[in-house]
Structures are given as C-alpha cells and as structure tokens.
Amino acid sequence: MSAPRTITLDNITVYIEANDTDVGKRAADVFCTTLTQAPNAAYGFATGSTPVCLYKELIARYKAGLLDMSGITAFNLDEYYPITKENDQSYDYFMSTELFNHVNVKPENRDIPSGEAPDPEAECLRYEKAIRTQEDFKLQILGIGENGHIGFNEPASTFPAKTNYVELTESTIAANARFFESAADVPKHALTMGVGTIMMAEQVLLIATGPKKSRIVYESLLGSIDPQVSASALQMHRNVTVVLDTDAAHDLLANLDSVS
Ligand code: PGA
C-alpha cells in the first residue's frame, strides 16, 4: 500500500503516512493551521507514546521560529490518580519534558487534572468547569488505546459526559506497565476528561501508529457507535482529523477496499 493517502469518511478526514516522522509532520500541519487561525484559544493535549512524534515536530517548528504558543490555554486529557507531579510517570511530568519545557506555552495557562488533589471527585468538577468556561475550546489531540479508549474512558455502558474518576482496566494497566518497573506500580485509577468533554472541542485530532492499533482504529471509525469503544463517539463529532501510519491503517483500508 502506498502512502501518503487521504480518505474522507463523512465528518472524518483520514491521512495515512509512511512512518512516525511523517505522522508527526502531518499532525503538526493540522495543529498549526488551527493555531494560526486561533492563537488565543484553548487546546487539549494528550500523553502516551503516540503523540511524541507530533510534539517533536512542534518543538522543531518552535525552534525554527515557525510556531508561537504564547496565547493558548493548554489542557490535558487525563492523569493517573494518585500520583505526584514529580513522579516521572505522571502525565504532568510527561507534558513538561516532552513539550512544554521546549515551547512558549505560559505556565499559568497550563491545566491538567491533579493526581495530588485530596478529593478526586472535587478535582474532576474543578477541571470540567475550567474547560467549560473556555470561550473557545478549539482542538483536542487524542491517542487511542488498544481497547478503544480516548483519554481513560474505558469500555462502559454509557459514554461518560464529564471529567470523571475512573478505575483502569486490566488491559490498560498491562499496556501501560511498559513505562513502570512492573504492572503492580501502575496506578489503579485516573482522572480523565469525559467523552462529552472531548466532544466539546471544535476539532479533534486523533493519531494512531503501529499494528497494535489497526483493529481498533477500524472498529472506532467504521464499527457501531458503542461506549464499549469510546473512540466510536467521534463518528458523531463534526470535525475529526485522523493521522495514521500504514500499520495502524491496515484493517481500515482492507475493509474499505473490500467494499469499494
Ligand atoms: P499510546 O497510548 O500512545 O502509548 O499507545 C494511547 C492511549 O492509551 O490512549
């Protein structure tokens, strides 16, 4: 299969790129186009290994004088609970080291659910309100879990509407254990934007790479809309861009090619 390739599925534009570097460049193009149009808006960031290629490219463009993030308000999808900000596995730490220490987002304009809050439910309410009072929540960056989660919205019977305190599934703990000394060290809970919170963003930019994401990308974009796969809610969003590498696009393309 040749890359790059672009597919349009109703509200969703899918870019397929040859490799991680090109995924990062394409995702950065999408992000920067919106940033240029809305330099003072709110943007939602994501953690995990997938968006690192995007952050590398944003840092390179910032260093080249091509990017100004000084006007934005930065939110983050989720955070483990409990966890300290200094823990090198916290998402607060990740965002600092992988992006914010290298670009000009103002520290006072960064917000992330706090893994140190004494009351997780109260922290969810605070965070949801902070996002909902933004006049212009422009774009949310997303990765996707192998179980279809966006943020830490694990398979459920309904789509969570708001920022919520969740128990992580065994499959997510196993998938994230690679970053910790052992699976036993992975926090069992997290604070996450709800699917409803994510859907408030005017634009969603979902990135997926590698063969392990191929099946769930296909199910999320072309399967039934089902809270067992929280990413499937994006089929109902008005403006979604998906950037995939050829491995993550495999099942999607196989199914599209078989019906066309
Ligand atoms: P990953 O995580 O980018 O590390 O694969 C994605 C996710 O779980 O949302």
Side-chain angles (χ1 to χ4, degrees):
M1 182 194 62
S2 62
R5 185 169 165 183
T6 308
I7 296 165
T8 306
L9 308 163
D10 296 326
N11 56 329
I12 305 179
T13 303
V14 185
Y15 293 105
I16 300 162
E17 304 293 339
N19 54 48
D20 211 49
T21 306
D22 289 353
V23 166
K25 286 186 177 159
R26 174 69 75 179
D29 288 346
V30 173
F31 182 89
C32 292
T33 299
T34 302
L35 181 69
T36 304
Q37 290 160 0
N40 300 312
Y43 290 79
F45 292 85
T47 53
S49 37
T50 312
V52 171
C53 59
L54 164 62
Y55 299 155
K56 279 194 177 137
E57 183 64 23
L58 292 181
I59 292 166
R61 291 184 193 195
Y62 173 71
K63 288 191 171 151
L66 302 171
L67 185 69
D68 178 12
M69 298 173 88
S70 63
I72 74 163
T73 300
F75 288 94
N76 253 88
L77 268 179
D78 48 15
E79 178 61 282
Y80 289 118
Y81 190 91
I83 201 160
T84 62
K85 288 183 193 301
E86 289 72 35
N87 186 316
D88 64 5
Q89 293 309 322
S90 77
Y91 289 171
D92 193 291
Y93 187 96
F94 175 100
M95 285 310 304
S96 294
T97 52
E98 297 295 334
L99 181 65
F100 292 141
N101 288 351
H102 313 285
V103 295
N104 63 343
V105 178
K106 293 194 178 119
E108 65 271 26
N109 291 343
R110 287 173 50 184
D111 200 352
I112 183 165
S114 173
E116 300 178 349
D119 178 349
E121 303 286 357
E123 175 60 7
C124 290
L125 286 174
R126 179 202 71 77
Y127 196 69
E128 183 71 18
K129 194 170 164 204
I131 296 171
R132 283 184 187 257
T133 50
Q134 293 299 313
E135 276 175 20
D136 201 7
F137 180 16
K138 205 75 192 173
L139 183 147
Q140 176 64 52
I141 297 164
L142 297 176
I144 183 170
E146 287 169 49
N147 65 2
H149 72 202
I150 47 176
F152 273 129
N153 293 288
E154 301 285 38
S157 53
T158 57
F159 290 114
K162 296 182 175 173
T163 302
N164 58 113
Y165 175 51
V166 294
E167 185 171 0
L168 300 181
T169 60
E170 285 305 318
S171 71
T172 295
I173 290 171
N176 290 8
R178 68 190 193 276
F179 301 115
F180 291 81
E181 295 221 332
S182 75
D185 294 321
V186 183
K188 304 291 177 287
H189 293 83
L191 310 173
T192 180
M193 282 187 193
V195 174
T197 326
I198 293 166
M199 296 289 277
M200 286 193 311
E202 244 176 73
Q203 184 180 5
V204 170
L205 170 58
L206 183 141
I207 311 169
T209 50
K212 285 186 181 167
K213 301 291 173 69
S214 175
R215 183 79 202 160
I216 200 65
V217 165
Y218 156 65
E219 283 178 15
S220 301
L221 301 187
L222 293 183
S224 52
I225 298 171
D226 181 346
Q228 287 292 317
V229 178
S230 63
S232 67
L234 299 176
Q235 294 181 40
M236 299 183 285
H237 192 282
R238 60 194 180 285
N239 184 359
V240 181
T241 304
V242 177
V243 186
L244 306 173
D245 69 358
T246 49
D247 286 337
H250 179 272
D251 286 11
L252 179 71
L253 286 176
N255 283 280
L256 282 175
D257 291 344
S258 71
V259 290
S260 61

